[in-house]
Amino acid sequence: MLLDYNSSIIEKGIKEFLWAKENMSIIDKIINKYKNKKTLEGYSIGICLHITKETAVLVMGLKELGANIFLCPANPLSIQEHIVSFLKYKEIIVYGEKGEPLQTFCKNMDRILEKKPNMIIDDGGEFHKMALRKNYNIFGGTEETTSGINRLKAWYQKKLFKYPIIGVNQSRTKYIFDNRYGTGQSSIEGILRTSGILLAGKRVIVCGYGHVGRGIASCAKGLGAKVTVTEIDPIHALEAFMDGFEVKPISDTTTIGDLYITCTGQVRVVREEHIEKMKNGVILCNAGHFDVEIDTNYLNKIDKNPTLIRKNFKCFIINKKKIYLLSEGRVINLVGGDGNPPEIMAFSFANQLLSLIYLSKNYEKLENKIYNVPKKIENESGRLALHSFNIHIDTITKEQANYFYS
Ligand SMILES: NC(=O)c1ccc[n+]([C@@H]2O[C@H](COP(=O)([O-])OP(=O)(O)OC[C@H]3O[C@@H](n4cnc5c(N)ncnc54)[C@H](O)[C@@H]3O)[C@@H](O)[C@H]2O)c1
């Protein structure tokens, strides 16, 4: 089949898709369970996710279940172009191009909504924001990430909801693994691929010790870095301290930090007052969903002509010091690297897939609010994940159950 199609970029996409699929056996198991019934036949699904090889596995799985798919990227810089080519070759409708300006980027979501999808998958809340503004007759949706969930909670308070949304990020089989182990590893990988620096001996400042921060701090430590954590939550700060990390306010780190990694979901965490005191040669990058955690406006205002050292690696001169910025302050693991490993995305996308199937069967009974992933789905994806690693566990005995509930 590869030889029939004379394009090396599609061939690259096919090979990477197959490699990801091989490492996402959980998704295959779910598809095999539901495909004969064509569970999603007649549904059209609008998807706004980072377009990676793992996303292609989810998309092709949904197609096998009978759904009609429209896809656009959750970030203009995270698109893997060979994967887009592969998906188009497989007749999936994809709107969006790498590096496109914000206006066209938003237009992609509009174009999907005009197709009147019944269900939507979003990563970051931007797609839901657009869908909630108008009445598109959407039955339900899902949300992939922490920042998206935070925004949705605010919109729910403002009574803006028009359909039920399942917060996939809230599933234990998502946030413990994707945010922590997946993003922890892939963010460090993105930093190393982009800058090529040595981590051992460096002072790494991790801003935010939530799920993502825990993963990043532990991976950086594993590579020999000295890690300092900044936090605003006393419990998370205490946890970082007990995990063996130094904890300080960010303003106390500026003279020691070699590398800053933000993962708070907050705005302007690294800003002018910090940057101007930082060491010559400091590197700044972000693993949070939006490109707002590092004040890149300030960098661009002070140095309008930064040097592009190499792809995704810029040098600004601020107060006669070199300040490096990776991936324009956008998600380093997806812009500077390939995103999370397929084994991890299999957990997240098992939750997505099972949540969509659940929505297709139950949307009429659901209220217009945010739901957690039903426990049954969380447990099913956990069980499938364990089996994918060939791990088996004990079951509770009758005696233990009686004892527990007595
Ligand atoms: N790059 C990826 O692939 C990926 C994957 C998952 C999540 N995310 C994103 O990463 C971000 C963090 O996600 P999470 O699941 O770890 O969230 P979380 O809520 O578990 O953790 C965020 C942490 O940041 C802390 N924080 C908030 N403001 C701060 C500030 N000003 N200074 C220091 N700490 C501060 C919070 O107290 C919290 O402990 C979100 O934007 C999320 O959407 C990215």
Side-chain angles (χ1 to χ4, degrees), residues 174-185 210-216 218-219 239 243:
K174 198 282 182 180
Y175 67 78
I176 298 178
F177 305 100
D178 175 318
N179 302 27
R180 185 170 166 187
Y181 296 99
T183 310
Q185 176 182 301
H211 305 300
V212 172
R214 284 180 203 116
I216 291 178
S218 133
C219 284
E239 194 185 354
D243 284 345

Side-chain angles (χ1 to χ4, degrees), residues 198-202 223-226:
L198 173 76
L199 268 193
K202 292 267 180 350
L223 286 172
K226 294 171 281 182

